Amino acid sequence: MRKIAQKAAWLADQSPFLACPVCREPLLIEETSLVCANGHRFDLSRKGTANFLNAPVKTEYSRPMLEARRRALANGLFDPFLAEIKGQLTATDRLLDIGCGEGTPTAKLAESGAAAVGFDISQPAIELAGSLATSAFFCVADLAHLPFLAGRFSAIVDLFSPGAYEEFDRVRAPESRLFKVIPQADYLRELRQGLYGGTAKGTYSNERVLTRFKAAYPQAKQTAIVYDHPVDAAGFADVLAMTPLSWQAPAEKREAMLATPPASIHVAVDLLTI
C-alpha cells in the first residue's frame, strides 16, 4: 500500500482530532484529503503528511542540518531520555510531539504503540519526517495555533522546543501527561567550551525556562538524565551540524573542533513531567 493511502487509513481509524486552521471545525479524511464542514480542504502529500500553514515559514533548519540531526539521533544521541518517556507510554495513548523536526524521536516514541502525531513549522523537516517507516503522522503547523481539537491528546512531548502552555493545555485530555526536556548547564559541554570558552556563551542556565514551566505546572516532577554518548569523527560532525549552539560560532573554532573531535558528547538534561 502506498504511504499516502496508509496515512489516510490511519487518519480514518482515529476519532477526529484535527481542527481546521481556518475555521476550527473538525477535519475528517475524504480519500486522501482532510476536509472540514465548511469545505476547507488540505490534501495529503505523497508521503502522507499535511501542511496547515498558509505560506512557508523560513527557518534556519536546512536540509543538510536536518539530515545530520537524523543521523545523530538514529545513532542514539537522545535514546536514554527517549526511553524514559517511551516507558511511560502505552498503546492507548495519543501522543503529540511538539516541534518534531525530522521525526526520529516521534518514530521512536511511536514504537510504544501510541498513536503518534508530530508537527513542526519547518516544511523541509516534515518532508524528511514523511520518509520514515513509522506509524506516526506528521504535519506542518504553527506552535501558537495548533490544528488540533481540544482535549484529544493523552501525552504531549516537548524536546527542547518553546512551550506554548495555553495551547498545550487546550489540546491535552483530562488526566493527560506532559513531558518536557530542557538542557542543563553541562549539555553538550564539549561544544560550548570548544566554541565559546572564555565568552558569555561559554556558560548556560536553564533557570528561566524551568521557572516558567514550574509556574505553569507547580506539581511538575524534575528528573536529571545525564550520560556520555560516544562519537567518532563523522558522528561528532553530525552533532556539530545539528545543534543551533554551533551555528553562530567562529568558523575557525568549528574547524579546530572538527580536526580534533572529542570521543564522546556529554548529554545532561532535565526531564520535567506532570
Side-chain angles (χ1 to χ4, degrees):
M1 183 184 294
R2 295 170 59 205
K3 185 167 283 190
I4 187 173
Q6 291 175 340
K7 298 303 181 183
W10 186 90
L11 289 164
D13 287 341
Q14 296 291 314
S15 60
F17 69 93
L18 288 164
C20 175
V22 179
C23 65
R24 313 307 296 173
E25 289 294 312
L27 286 170
L28 299 176
I29 194 74
E30 293 184 5
E31 297 184 349
T32 57
S33 297
L34 290 157
V35 185
C36 74
N38 291 320
H40 300 120
R41 179 179 296 269
F42 301 86
D43 298 330
L44 298 183
S45 73
R46 289 181 297 175
K47 295 179 179 179
T49 65
N51 190 333
F52 296 117
L53 296 185
N54 291 328
V57 175
K58 186 177 181 180
T59 74
E60 293 180 301
Y61 287 65
S62 67
R63 180 82 180 206
M65 171 267 165
L66 292 163
E67 290 173 342
R69 184 179 191 268
R70 169 159 294 176
R71 290 190 297 269
L73 301 195
N75 286 332
L77 181 63
F78 290 174
D79 277 4
F81 60 78
L82 287 174
E84 181 68 24
I85 298 170
K86 186 167 71 173
Q88 301 181 55
L89 301 173
T90 73
T92 63
D93 281 313
R94 179 182 287 142
L95 161 73
L96 178 61
D97 186 6
I98 304 291
C100 67
E102 49 70 49
T104 296
T106 321
K108 292 193 175 196
L109 294 172
E111 293 170 0
S112 65
V117 178
F119 81 89
D120 201 281
I121 201 167
S122 165
Q123 185 171 337
I126 296 303
E127 289 174 353
L128 196 54
S131 67
L132 289 166
T134 176
S135 61
F137 171 73
F138 295 101
C139 59
V140 184
D142 183 353
L143 174 68
H145 304 284
L146 298 178
F148 308 115
L149 298 172
R152 292 307 201 270
F153 292 92
S154 60
I156 292 180
V157 173
D158 177 349
L159 307 178
F160 306 112
S161 290
Y165 299 136
E166 288 187 5
E167 275 292 84
F168 291 5
D169 291 342
R170 182 182 66 80
V171 302
R172 288 172 52 214
E175 306 301 322
S176 60
R177 288 145 299 147
L178 172 57
F179 305 89
K180 183 173 177 67
V181 172
I182 63 174
Q184 294 182 3
D186 277 350
Y187 179 69
L188 305 185
R189 66 187 177 195
E190 296 83 5
L191 272 69
R192 188 172 293 279
Q193 288 303 308
L195 297 173
Y196 303 110
T199 73
K201 286 187 177 182
T203 59
Y204 170 77
S205 171
N206 66 16
E207 182 178 357
R208 180 181 59 82
V209 177
L210 182 59
T211 298
R212 180 169 175 258
F213 187 87
K214 288 190 171 181
Y217 308 107
Q219 76 278 31
K221 176 184 176 183
Q222 181 176 350
T223 303
I225 300 176
V226 180
Y227 55 94
D228 291 293
H229 178 71
V231 290
D232 58 15
F236 175 73
D238 284 335
V239 175
L240 188 68
M242 68 165 264
T243 175
L245 180 63
S246 71
W247 296 350
Q248 304 302 319
E252 63 273 16
K253 294 284 190 178
R254 291 169 51 90
E255 291 167 4
M257 293 208 74
L258 288 169
T260 57
S264 63
I265 293 294
H266 190 68
V267 179
V269 301
D270 285 319
L271 172 59
L272 310 176
T273 58
I274 63 169

